[in-house]
């Protein structure tokens, strides 16, 4: 008996997506590695979140609230969206899969830009949908007119804003043009705003305020990145009430644990921590942009997020080679050749604290200048 033959046909060919943050696969102990490959808050979680976790240990023998009432109320208060427009997931990744499972029917076409976060593709393939790719322009922008042209006859279009791995925002007017046109064609627009809280406030192009105006708009946000609750796994979707209702019907019960919920609620009240994070990333983005741009052979794409995409071709090194050389310094970076639309000469580095960023620059200079 060949067990694989018993699996669904379209599932058999799927391969897991590659990500940064592979610290558990390394020989180093986690404590000795500086992880620039995962784009998360370098300060870790808020102290209020840690306290809330400790104070919630008593909840462990109980099932968590499968409707996530208290965390929905906390998010609602924080972002000004009604709890009926929210669905909570085991990380925003769960919401990507749930959305695709609910809305992508067999052989329906879905539009995905390239390069972008790999799980949209996986979720659509798992739902047995068909993918159309729209490659970004030479300077890694979305051409809104091209996007709209390609959007004809697609059921769902994904957009990541700011985009992973480029760090670039899609301008608000372009987004509205896309969502507006999509609504007329019955196309759903899925916008991933997981990195939006890091973007400069004056450039922010979040569509959260538009959720009541466009029935076809769905947005995800995460507690993984800005709030540093990475290992706890909690994120959410924001959408039209009908979309939320039907997704809630098929969501896995008790998908979010009680400690993740408590931490998420607490971190939303810690404005001091949020302000500190926003300020740190803003300052370090400027510092790192300047320092990285001075490294011989580096072409750094200016970023609105908490990471940089860098073309290293002129250094004469491939991303994999640079990654393994940096590991000798205890530094882990993301080699980007698994992203559709990028070749073997791109790396991505997260923005961390000043001391850590300086250590990265020092190591890069040693590797690039002296081999
Ligand atoms: C753009 C983007 N969306 C979603 C996710 C998934 O985040 P979460 O931890 O909330 O599942 C990631 C993780 O790397 C990401 O980069």
């Amino acid at each position: 008996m060949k067990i694989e033959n018993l699996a669904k046909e379209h599932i058999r060919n799927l391969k897991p997506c590659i990500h940064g943050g592979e610290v558990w696969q390394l020989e180093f102990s986690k404590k000795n590695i500086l992880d620039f490959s995962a784009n998360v808050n370098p300060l870790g979680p808020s102290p209020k979140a840690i306290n809330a976790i400790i104070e919630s240990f008593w909840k462990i023998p109980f099932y968590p609230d499968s409707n996530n009432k208290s965390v929905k109320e906390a998010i609602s208060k924080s972002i000004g969206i009604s709890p009926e427009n929210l669905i909570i997931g085991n990380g925003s990744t769960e919401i990507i899969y749930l959305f695709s499972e609910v809305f992508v029917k067999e052989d329906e076409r879905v539009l995905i830009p390239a390069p972008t976060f790999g799980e949209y593709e996986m979720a659509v393939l798992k739902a047995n949908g068909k993918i159309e790719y729209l490659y970004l322009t030479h300077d890694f922008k979305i051409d809104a007119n091209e996007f709209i042209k390609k959007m004809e006859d697609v059921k769902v279009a994904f957009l990541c804003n700011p985009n992973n791995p480029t760090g670039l925002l899609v301008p608000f007017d372009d987004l509205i043009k896309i969502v507006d046109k999509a609504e007329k064609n019955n196309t759903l627009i899925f916008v991933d705003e997981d990195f939006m809280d890091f973007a400069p406030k004056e450039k922010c192009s979040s569509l959260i305020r538009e959720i009541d105006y466009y029935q076809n708009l769905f947005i995800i946000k995460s507690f993984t990145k800005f709030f540093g609750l990475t290992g706890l796994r909690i994120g959410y979707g924001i959408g039209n009430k009908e979309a939320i209702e039907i997704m809630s019907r098929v969501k896995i019960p008790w998908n979010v644990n009680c400690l993740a919920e408590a931490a998420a609620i607490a971190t939303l009240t810690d404005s001091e921590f949020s302000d500190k994070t926003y300020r740190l990333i803003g300052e370090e983005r400027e510092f790192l942009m300047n320092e990285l741009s001075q490294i011989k052979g580096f072409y750094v794409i200016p970023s609105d997020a908490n990471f940089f995409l860098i073309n290293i071709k002129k250094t004469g090194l491939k991303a994999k080679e640079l990654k393994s050389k940096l590991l000798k310094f205890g530094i882990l970076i993301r080699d980007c050749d698994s992203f559709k639309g990028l070749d073997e000469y791109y790396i991505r580095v997260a923005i961390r604290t000043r001391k850590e960023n300086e250590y990265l620059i020092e190591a890069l200079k040693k590797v690039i200048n002296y081999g």
Side-chain angles (χ1 to χ4, degrees):
M1 183 198 249
K2 193 152 169 29
I3 293 290
E4 198 182 324
N5 292 342
L6 304 181
K8 291 176 186 169
E9 186 100 30
H10 75 281
I11 299 279
R12 276 192 237 159
N13 299 325
L14 297 183
K15 291 198 186 74
C17 192
I18 294 171
H19 295 290
E22 63 205 312
V23 286
W24 308 110
Q25 280 91 300
L26 298 173
E27 292 152 27
F28 295 83
S29 95
K30 168 79 188 84
K31 286 205 171 99
N32 295 332
I33 198 90
L34 253 182
D35 185 9
F36 282 86
S37 74
N39 305 318
V40 299
N41 191 333
L43 301 175
S46 127
K48 282 197 180 176
I50 299 292
N51 279 339
I53 291 169
I54 294 167
E55 282 167 14
S56 297
F57 284 165
W58 65 270
K59 296 177 187 165
I60 291 175
F62 300 89
Y63 275 102
D65 170 17
S66 205
N67 297 318
N68 315 104
K69 186 166 179 284
S70 53
V71 77
K72 280 185 191 169
E73 278 166 5
I75 295 167
S76 167
K77 211 163 141 196
S78 165
I79 66 169
I81 289 290
S82 159
E84 292 166 311
N85 294 104
L86 300 171
I87 182 161
I88 316 297
N90 193 276
S92 59
T93 302
E94 188 189 12
I95 307 291
I96 299 171
Y97 278 81
L98 181 59
F99 184 90
S100 304
E101 183 187 351
V102 170
F103 293 110
V104 179
K105 297 180 191 162
E106 190 178 337
D107 289 337
E108 274 185 333
R109 291 165 62 223
V110 169
L111 181 60
I112 300 180
T116 196
F117 183 54
E119 295 293 350
Y120 315 139
E121 176 180 318
M122 275 298 291
V124 170
L125 293 176
K126 192 177 163 202
N128 210 0
K130 296 271 175 289
I131 301 177
E132 290 275 320
Y133 295 98
L134 175 79
Y135 287 90
L136 302 182
T137 59
H138 71 281
D139 51 356
F140 296 110
K141 304 245 163 73
I142 294 262
D143 180 329
N145 292 330
E146 274 303 305
F147 196 89
I148 287 169
K149 228 190 274 170
K150 280 241 175 192
M151 221 165 55
E152 276 173 29
D153 306 324
V154 311
K155 173 68 169 291
V156 175
F158 283 86
L159 278 167
C160 187
N161 188 35
N163 188 34
N164 176 9
T166 62
L168 295 180
L169 284 163
V170 186
F172 184 78
D173 291 349
D174 284 351
L175 289 167
I176 291 294
K177 216 159 91 176
I178 289 169
V179 180
D180 207 62
K181 181 75 183 163
E183 193 180 38
K184 293 182 180 104
N185 293 349
N186 289 328
T187 298
L188 298 170
I189 301 291
F190 183 106
V191 186
D192 182 338
E193 295 192 1
D194 276 10
F195 292 107
M196 188 61 87
D197 293 336
F198 294 108
K201 287 193 174 30
E202 66 282 6
K203 287 173 84 179
C204 167
S205 58
S206 170
L207 291 183
I208 289 181
R209 302 267 74 79
E210 309 303 314
I211 211 79
D212 286 336
Y213 302 110
Y214 292 103
Q215 285 200 316
N216 62 328
L217 177 61
F218 192 88
I219 298 168
I220 55 167
K221 283 187 70 88
S222 181
F223 286 95
T224 292
K225 318 288 182 183
F226 189 85
F227 296 109
L229 301 181
T230 318
L232 288 173
R233 312 302 303 130
I234 177 162
Y236 58 101
I238 311 164
N240 168 272
K241 282 178 202 160
E242 259 181 75
I244 296 291
E245 199 279 317
I246 189 154
M247 287 170 72
S248 304
R249 270 190 249 163
V250 293
K251 171 180 85 80
I252 292 172
W254 314 295
N255 57 331
V256 179
N257 73 74
C258 57
L259 304 183
E261 280 206 322
I265 293 167
T267 198
L268 290 174
T269 64
D270 195 349
S271 56
E272 199 183 312
F273 175 79
S274 296
D275 293 347
K276 190 172 164 190
T277 299
Y278 177 78
R279 233 178 304 120
L280 170 79
I281 295 300
E283 284 166 15
E284 293 309 305
R285 187 163 45 222
E286 203 178 320
F287 172 77
L288 258 190
M289 178 70 198
N290 189 31
E291 294 289 321
L292 289 167
S293 302
Q294 289 177 42
I295 294 193
K296 218 165 66 198
F298 268 28
Y299 177 73
V300 188
I301 286 89
S303 170
D304 294 313
N306 60 328
F307 51 86
F308 285 102
L309 179 68
I310 308 165
N311 184 319
I312 63 162
K313 189 163 190 181
K314 290 196 173 151
T315 63
L317 289 171
K318 289 189 175 160
K320 274 195 178 29
E321 292 165 336
L322 181 55
K323 178 180 170 182
S324 78
K325 284 174 190 280
L326 284 172
L327 268 179
K328 299 199 176 104
F329 291 81
I331 290 173
L332 181 63
I333 59 165
R334 173 74 153 95
D335 129 36
C336 291
D337 72 355
S338 63
F339 282 97
K340 186 177 280 296
L342 294 183
D343 61 21
E344 65 270 44
Y345 295 105
Y346 285 90
I347 60 164
R348 193 192 64 202
V349 294
I351 298 171
R352 298 193 58 90
T353 62
R354 176 60 58 95
K355 216 168 130 212
E356 293 166 336
N357 295 334
E358 281 173 346
Y359 182 67
L360 170 72
I361 297 294
E362 232 177 85
L364 280 170
K365 282 181 180 161
K366 282 185 191 147
V367 167
I368 307 275
N369 295 337
Y370 313 113

